[in-house]
Structures are given as C-alpha cells and as structure tokens.
Amino acid sequence: MTLAKQNPVLRRVLFISPHGSYRAAPFVAAAHELSLQPIIASWGKYSIVSDFAQGLWLPPQDTNAALSVIQDDAHRRGPFVAVVGTDDSTTELAAMACARLGIPHNPIDGVRIARRKDLARQRLRQAGVKIPRFWVIDLNRPLSGQMLGITYPCVVKPVDLSASRGVIRADDPGALRQAISRVQSLLQTENDAVQRDRLLVEAYIPGEEIAFEGMLWDGDIQTLAIFDKPDPLEGPYFEESYYVTPSRLDPMQLQAVAETVSQACAAYGLRQGPIHAECRINPQGVWIVEVAARTLGGLCARLLEWRTGKSLEALVLNQALGQRMGDVRVEGGAGVLMIPVPAAGILRRVEGIGRAEAVACIDEVVIQQRDGYELVPLPEGGSYLGFIFASGPGPVEVEAALRKAHRALNIVIAPLWRGAVVN
Ligand code: ADP
C-alpha cells in the first residue's frame, strides 16, 4: 500500500474507523487506487500505522466533540468529498458527519435502526413489510408474563450482535427459558444497558435462505449478488456456512427478493450505500430476516469483487462519490464456505489444506484461527475457523467443490481443561 502524502490536489475522503479495525486498510488502499487522499478518524491513542498517525484523533464517548474535530479539519485543510464508516459501529457517526458537512447521507435514525434488531422489527411492522411476529423481552422483569402469547417454534436473539451469536431456536416454553438464560449470560459483558437487558423473540420462519448484496443510489436499489445458502438452516443454532452465487431461485423469486429488500430500506429511510440482507423464502413469499446498511463482512467480500470486477471498498467509495457502475456480470459461479468451528477446544492443527486446494474449482483455503487458540462454537462464539473459496462454470459445480474440499480437511482440536482455583 502506498502512503498518500499531504497533497492539496487530491480530493480528500474521510474514513471513520474503530480502534484496531481490519477494514480500514482495504478502504485506504481503494482510496489510493481511485486517486483520493484517505484520512482516518479514530479513537486509538497510539498508532504505528502512518495512515492512522496522520489522521484525526476523535475524543472517545463524546459525539459532539468528535463531530467538531471532523468539521474543524474540513475547514482548515479542505473539504471531504465523502465520509465513510468502515465498520458497523461507525456508520452512525459517519452519517452524522455527512449531515454536518452537507454531504448526501442516510438519515441518522435509519442507520441506527438498521443496527438494532428490535427497533428494525418495529419499523418494518409499521411499514407492512413481511416479517415474522415478534416479542421484545425485558430481562429485568419476570419472564412468565412476557412469555404468554409467544408461539413455537421461535427464535431468540440479542438486539445488537452479529454473525448469529446468541441466535437460538426454541420449540417449547422450557427450551425458550433455557435459550433466554444462555443468551443472558452471553450478554453479561455488554456495556450498553439496552443490549444487555433486552432480547428479541421471533416466530421461526421456515424456508430457504438467501443473502442479498446491493447498493442504494438515491433510494434505487441495484442488486450486486444474491447468494443461495444451500445447507438447511433449521437451528437450534444458525451457523453461516455455504454462500453460492448466482442464486438458483427463479427470476420471479429473485425479483421478489429485490423488491422486498427495497421496501425494507424505504421503511428504514435508507437511500445511499451498501445493503446486506438475509431473507427466507417459502410459499407465503419473501420474508426479511435482517437488512443492514453495510457490506458483506470479512473475506467473503471477495466474492463481490469476483462478481463486479471491483473491490468492495472501491464500490462503496464510487457510490459515495456518486459514480454509478454498470450492470454486474453473471458468467459462471462462485462461492465460499465459512468453515464452521466443529467443537470447542484448542486448535491443534488443520490437516489436508493441500488436498482441499487441489480440488477442481477451489481457488483458496484460508485458515484464520492460529494453532493453539481456543475455539468457541456458536451460539457463544462468533468467528469461523476459516474460508474456502471456489469459482467455476456454475453454482452446482462450485457447491460440489466446496463440499469436497471441506471433506478433505481434518481439523484437530484438543480438549480444553480449565483449572479450578483452589483457595
Ligand atoms: P445476526 O445478525 O447475528 O446474523 P440474524 O437475525 O441475521 O442475526 O439471524 C442469524 C440467522 O438465524 C439467520 O441468518 C437465520 O438463518 C436464522 N434466523 C434468525 N431469525 C430467524 C427467524 N425468525 N426464523 C428462522 N430463522 C431465523
């Protein structure tokens, strides 16, 4: 990555990043590619990364002060052509900064709603978008009364976690009580009282699941990719595993997915930028599981690059600059397996990577967890062991290759013995 010097000719773009974000670097790289000057605003006190060191230091826990720092910099050193929150946790501040600087942006409450599952459900229900029945549980009040009226099967979930952490299916009141207490323990370390004390329970939606990746242009949604999730996701935990594109749904269903996601975005008030949604499809139609104002996370974003020929970060920047892209290409198929954590314990090693990479259509196997690290499966854990990427003539071949490559892996995990403290 080349480092941009202070260059008065380059247009400046501001990235707001939480301390330690792994998403900042690809955004900086994309800015350099588009001949923009990246500036990073963050809260970290010390930094050995020059791009951070040259950036703006934001005072923690003081939104107004942070916005003033950004505004002062724009006055002193020149305007920003775009302000982008690189991570979920900074999208709201980025929208606020855009509002102050007169840059087109999503309504701030729309961005906030898209991150809070309970508020999102309320908004979608008001707007008549197809969602399951839901109940908000206050963990400070007795459960019995709040459980009256809940139908089964249902799904319990935290209001602000991601990657299916704490999402548990319950088929009867006993299982629901157990699931609630398990999620409550998981939330104990949350700082925010609402996130700690509130849970969402939803009716279980049967059906096939897909992921939708799109871009909003002044309220108009462009589909970038629709991924089938070919493994049944029936619980009790909902591990992401296979994503394969193009989807094998029929064109009418694909159209219905884009329309339903578009209705949900309109309900939140979202008009600009990337959209990641999960939907379930059954004979009653397309149901919204979740719509988020962000891109597909982590390494999976590579699949979008395969579809569009541009890095995800470049797509986001182009949108922020109002440079609309043409239609995306749809030759062949591509997919990823987010390798699930098969059991709790200490990762000893992953064998068979060479064998897996030798499978036809497999592009790469990436093991993210290091040997010696503790693996925590769902619903408490939230990270994958790694990823297998594939591309080929079509989705059928890609899915078969991913399955074969996964079978070639031997994941060796040692049990974890926690020592008791003796006084
Ligand atoms: P997260 O944001 O943590 O990923 P989601 O609300 O998207 O949480 O739920 C994660 C997964 O759980 C979904 O992709 C889906 O497979 C399953 N799920 C969530 N809610 C429901 C529901 N009401 N009915 C059926 N499955 C659900």
Side-chain angles (χ1 to χ4, degrees):
M1 182 173 51
T2 52
L3 192 68
K5 301 274 176 304
Q6 294 288 326
N7 182 338
V9 182
L10 292 183
R11 295 183 303 163
R12 302 192 331 137
V13 56
L14 184 69
F15 298 118
I16 307 185
S17 275
H19 181 57
S21 163
Y22 70 91
R23 308 217 36 178
F27 270 107
V28 168
H32 288 307
E33 272 164 39
L34 297 174
S35 300
L36 297 164
Q37 183 180 359
I39 313 288
I40 293 181
S42 193
W43 294 265
K45 208 166 179 185
Y46 307 105
S47 175
I48 50 167
V49 181
S50 330
D51 281 304
F52 274 93
Q54 289 174 0
L56 302 183
W57 181 76
L58 301 179
Q61 274 140 23
D62 188 343
T63 304
N64 261 322
L67 291 171
S68 298
V69 168
I70 293 170
Q71 207 170 10
D72 285 354
D73 188 79
H75 282 145
R76 274 190 307 110
R77 296 200 292 172
F80 296 110
V81 286
V83 180
V84 175
T86 58
D87 295 61
D88 242 9
S89 59
T90 55
T91 48
E92 198 175 323
L93 186 61
M96 289 177 178
C98 287
R100 284 247 185 141
L101 299 172
I103 297 172
H105 61 95
N106 281 318
I108 292 149
D109 82 315
V111 177
R112 184 177 307 135
I113 285 169
R115 289 194 53 215
R116 271 276 305 276
K117 294 180 201 293
D118 52 335
L119 303 179
R121 285 306 193 207
Q122 276 151 11
R123 182 63 71 86
L124 292 176
R125 180 164 66 189
Q126 281 160 8
V129 179
K130 214 174 181 71
I131 54 162
R133 283 188 71 191
F134 66 90
W135 302 265
V136 177
I137 302 282
D138 177 350
L139 293 171
N140 291 319
R141 289 179 34 226
L143 271 186
S144 306
Q146 300 184 77
M147 282 173 55
L148 295 173
I150 291 183
T151 57
Y152 298 89
C154 63
V155 175
V156 182
K157 54 177 85 166
V159 295
D160 190 13
L161 285 189
S162 56
S164 303
R165 282 184 71 214
V167 181
I168 306 178
R169 170 175 164 159
D171 288 350
D172 54 58
L176 177 59
R177 278 184 183 278
Q178 276 179 11
I180 289 176
S181 102
R182 196 161 173 184
V183 183
Q184 194 170 10
S185 317
L186 175 69
L187 296 176
Q188 217 106 90
T189 49
E190 292 294 323
N191 291 328
D192 183 295
V194 173
Q195 290 174 31
R196 217 175 31 235
D197 299 340
R198 201 175 288 185
L199 283 184
L200 187 62
V201 176
E202 299 180 354
Y204 174 82
I205 320 160
E208 286 174 66
E209 186 163 318
I210 56 93
F212 171 97
E213 308 305 317
M215 192 64 83
L216 277 171
W217 302 87
D218 287 330
D220 217 19
I221 200 146
Q222 178 181 25
T223 302
L224 298 177
I226 296 183
F227 294 94
D228 287 337
K229 301 189 181 184
D231 262 3
L233 287 160
E234 291 170 351
Y237 316 124
F238 298 88
E239 212 152 44
E240 297 272 31
S241 54
Y242 295 91
Y243 266 47
V244 179
T245 190
S247 167
R248 284 159 274 178
L249 291 178
D250 69 50
M252 299 269 283
Q253 287 174 312
L254 293 175
Q255 173 76 18
V257 166
E259 279 168 13
T260 310
V261 174
S262 175
Q263 277 174 15
C265 293
Y268 295 169
L270 299 175
R271 296 185 56 77
Q272 314 285 349
I275 294 294
H276 166 82
E278 323 263 358
C279 301
R280 287 201 165 206
I281 298 136
N282 63 25
Q284 280 78 51
V286 177
W287 300 75
I288 295 287
V289 175
E290 178 170 47
V291 171
R294 63 172 169 86
T295 60
L296 184 62
L299 288 184
C300 297
R302 278 193 203 177
L303 291 180
L304 280 188
E305 189 164 352
W306 173 87
R307 280 275 294 194
T308 62
K310 287 193 172 155
S311 75
L312 177 71
E313 294 76 19
L315 286 174
V316 171
L317 280 180
N318 277 329
Q319 195 286 328
L321 299 173
Q323 295 161 352
R324 195 169 179 142
M325 60 179 275
D327 283 342
V328 291
R329 73 184 175 102
V330 283
E331 298 139 31
V336 64
L337 168 63
M338 293 164 237
I339 308 170
V341 168
I346 299 293
L347 178 64
R348 282 286 163 241
R349 62 191 173 278
V350 179
E351 298 169 345
I353 296 173
R355 272 198 310 277
E357 283 187 332
V359 172
C361 300
I362 295 298
D363 297 327
E364 196 182 359
V365 177
V366 181
I367 303 299
Q368 260 196 335
Q369 305 294 330
R370 300 243 189 97
D371 295 359
Y373 274 56
E374 183 183 353
L375 299 179
V376 183
L378 280 177
E380 282 80 13
S383 47
Y384 315 109
L385 190 68
F387 303 86
I388 306 178
F389 291 97
S391 56
V396 175
E397 293 82 358
V398 164
E399 184 187 332
L402 290 171
R403 290 188 188 282
K404 191 168 174 192
H406 190 212
R407 283 196 300 273
L409 295 181
N410 182 29
I411 300 155
V412 183
I413 298 172
L416 172 66
W417 304 106
R418 292 196 196 279
V421 178
V422 180
N423 290 316

